C-alpha cells in the first residue's frame, strides 16, 4: 500500500507532518523527538496479541514517515509536490524498522531515569535550571515546579531556600509572585501535588511498572497530557548523557591506540 494511503488508514491523515504532530518547519531534532514519542506509544511490544498486527503496521508507517522527512531530497519532493517516491530505498518494504528505531535511540529504562534523577538533584545543572525557571516564570512557583526536571512537592523547600539565598546575594531579581505568594496558593499547590502523587502510584500499579521500555512507554502515554514537555526534556537529557559518555569512551580508546608504538 502506498505510504500516503497507509498514513490515512492508520493515522487518519495523508499529511506526513500531521502523522508526527509537527509543523512543516520542523527541524531534524524536532522530527527525531516526535518520532521517538509517537513510536513508543504505538510500538507493537507494548500491546496485546490481538492488537499487535495493527500496532506493527502503525509503527512501520510512522518509521517510514520519519525516514522520508529526514531525507533532504525526499522531503523536498514531498514539500514541493505532495508526493512520496515509493521506489526509493528509504521506505523499502523489507526494511527492519525496529532496528531502525533501535539504532536511533538507546534503550532507556526506568532504572536509567532514576539514576539520572539521583545525579541531577542538587547538581550545578539543576541550580542553573532553577535560576532559569525562576526568571522565565517571574517567580511563579507553580510554573517553576512544572518546568523543573524530576521535581516533586518535596523539592519545594530546598528550591525556596536556594532562590531566597540567590536573591539576597543579588544573583536574582525579586518578583512579587515569589516574595508575596499567598498561603492559599501554596496550600492549593501542595494538595494538587499530593493528589498527583496518589494518581502516579495508582498508574504504576495499573501498568505494572517494571523498569522495562514497554512500561516506560505506557507511563509516557499516561502522563503525556500533564507533563509532556518534562518527559521529553528528561529523555533528551538522558540521550545527551549517553552520547557524551560514548564519545568520551571513544576518545580515550583512540588516545590509547595513538600512544602505542
Amino acid at each position: 500500500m502506498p505510504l500516503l494511503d497507509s498514513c490515512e488508514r492508520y493515522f487518519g491523515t495523508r499529511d506526513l507532518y500531521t502523522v508526527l504532530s509537527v509543523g512543516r518547519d520542523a527541524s531534524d531534532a524536532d522530527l527525531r523527538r516526535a518520532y521517538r514519542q509517537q513510536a513508543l506509544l504505538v510500538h507493537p511490544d507494548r500491546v496485546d496479541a490481538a492488537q499487535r498486527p495493527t500496532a506493527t503496521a502503525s509503527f512501520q508507517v510512522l518509521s517510514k514517515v520519519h525516514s522520508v522527512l529526514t531525507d533532504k531530497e525526499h522531503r523536498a519532493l514531498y514539500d514541493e509536490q505532495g508526493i512520496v517516491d515509493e521506489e526509493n530505498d528509504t521506505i523499502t518494504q523489507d526494511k527492519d524498522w525496529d532496528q531502525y528505531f533501535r539504532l536511533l535511540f538507546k534503550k532507556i529504562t526506568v532504572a536509567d531515569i532514576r539514576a539520572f534523577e539521583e545525579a541531577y538533584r542538587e547538581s550545578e545543572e539543576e541550580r542553573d535550571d532553577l535560576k532559569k525557571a525562576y526568571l522565565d516564570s517571574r517567580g511563579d512557583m507553580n510554573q517553576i515546579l512544572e518546568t523543573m526536571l524530576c521535581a516533586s512537592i518535596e523539592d519545594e523547600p530546598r528550591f525556596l531556600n536556594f532562590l531566597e539565598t540567590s536573591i539576597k546575594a543579588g544573583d536574582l531579581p525579586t518578583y512579587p509572585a515569589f516574595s508575596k505568594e499567598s498561603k492559599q496558593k501554596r496550600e492549593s499547590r501542595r494538595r494538587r501535588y499530593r493528589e498527583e502523587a496518589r494518581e502516579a502510584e495508582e498508574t504504576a500499579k495499573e501498568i505494572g511498572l517494571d523498569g522495562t521500555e514497554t512500561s516506560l512507554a505506557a507511563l509516557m502515554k499516561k502522563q503525556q497530557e500533564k507533563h509532556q514537555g518534562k518527559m521529553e526534556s528528561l529523555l533528551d537529557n538522558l540521550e545527551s548523557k549517553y552520547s557524551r559518555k560514548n564519545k568520551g569512551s571513544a576518545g580515550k580508546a583512540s588516545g590509547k591506540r595513538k600512544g602505542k608504538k
Side-chain angles (χ1 to χ4, degrees):
M1 182 185 298
L3 180 57
L4 297 183
D5 290 345
S6 296
C7 288
E8 187 169 27
R9 177 175 179 179
Y10 293 103
F11 293 92
T13 179
R14 297 178 68 83
D15 186 279
L16 301 187
Y17 294 97
T18 302
V19 170
L20 285 176
S21 298
V22 296
R24 287 183 169 269
D25 60 347
S27 65
D28 282 351
D30 294 331
L31 293 170
R32 176 187 171 89
R33 188 178 300 112
Y35 171 55
R36 176 185 59 200
Q37 181 186 352
Q38 297 294 334
L40 284 174
L41 298 180
V42 303
H43 198 283
D45 285 351
R46 61 164 303 272
V47 299
D48 56 38
Q51 297 174 306
R52 196 157 294 142
T54 299
T56 298
S58 298
F59 176 72
Q60 290 174 347
V61 171
L62 193 70
S63 299
K64 290 178 181 180
V65 169
H66 176 265
S67 183
V68 168
L69 293 181
T70 51
D71 183 292
K72 290 184 179 180
E73 291 185 8
H74 296 306
R75 181 175 181 175
L77 176 65
Y78 176 75
D79 287 347
E80 293 169 8
Q81 302 182 39
I83 61 175
V84 174
D85 179 7
E86 299 288 342
E87 302 299 322
N88 74 76
D89 293 337
T90 302
I91 56 174
T92 184
Q93 293 296 319
D94 59 357
K95 190 168 185 174
D96 186 338
W97 293 107
D98 189 58
Q99 183 183 38
Y100 174 81
F101 180 81
R102 299 296 176 194
L103 288 173
L104 280 173
F105 306 107
K106 176 197 177 292
K107 186 172 182 178
I108 295 172
T109 67
V110 174
D112 291 327
I113 292 178
R114 288 172 178 160
F116 174 83
E117 289 178 346
E118 185 176 345
Y120 178 74
R121 282 199 171 94
E122 300 192 53
S123 67
E124 190 66 32
E125 183 181 2
E126 185 194 52
R127 288 190 284 272
D128 289 342
D129 288 346
L130 183 53
K131 287 181 179 180
K132 184 177 186 303
Y134 175 83
L135 293 170
D136 290 346
S137 68
R138 299 185 67 82
D140 187 310
M141 186 54 68
N142 284 347
Q143 291 184 40
I144 291 171
L145 287 172
E146 285 292 331
T147 302
M148 289 296 295
L149 290 176
C150 314
S152 69
I153 197 63
E154 285 75 20
D155 295 305
E156 183 175 349
R158 68 184 183 85
F159 284 178
L160 288 171
N161 181 62
F162 173 77
L163 292 171
E164 288 169 353
T165 300
S166 298
I167 291 169
K168 288 179 182 177
D171 296 332
L172 292 173
T174 300
Y175 292 121
F178 181 80
S179 60
K180 298 180 180 180
E181 184 182 46
S182 68
K183 182 178 179 181
Q184 182 181 7
K185 184 177 179 181
R186 285 196 299 272
E187 289 303 318
S188 176
R189 175 171 61 249
R190 288 165 186 170
R191 282 195 302 271
R192 176 167 56 83
Y193 268 84
R194 283 194 292 269
E195 178 62 22
E196 287 188 1
R198 184 186 63 78
E199 291 177 0
E201 186 175 347
E202 291 177 356
T203 296
K205 291 178 181 178
E206 177 187 338
I207 65 178
L209 197 61
D210 58 6
T212 65
E213 186 172 358
T214 300
S215 62
L216 175 59
L219 180 62
M220 285 180 66
K221 187 170 185 179
K222 289 285 186 180
Q223 297 296 321
Q224 66 175 336
E225 292 185 1
K226 287 185 180 179
H227 305 297
Q228 178 174 325
K230 288 178 73 173
M231 181 63 80
E232 289 177 353
S233 295
L234 176 57
L235 293 175
D236 286 342
N237 271 274
L238 280 164
E239 283 193 352
S240 175
K241 182 189 77 169
Y242 286 117
S243 176
R244 288 196 302 269
K245 185 185 293 184
N246 290 338
K247 287 180 181 178
S249 298
K252 289 178 181 178
S254 176
K256 287 180 180 179
R257 285 194 297 270
K258 289 179 181 179
K260 291 181 178 180
K261 293 183 179 179

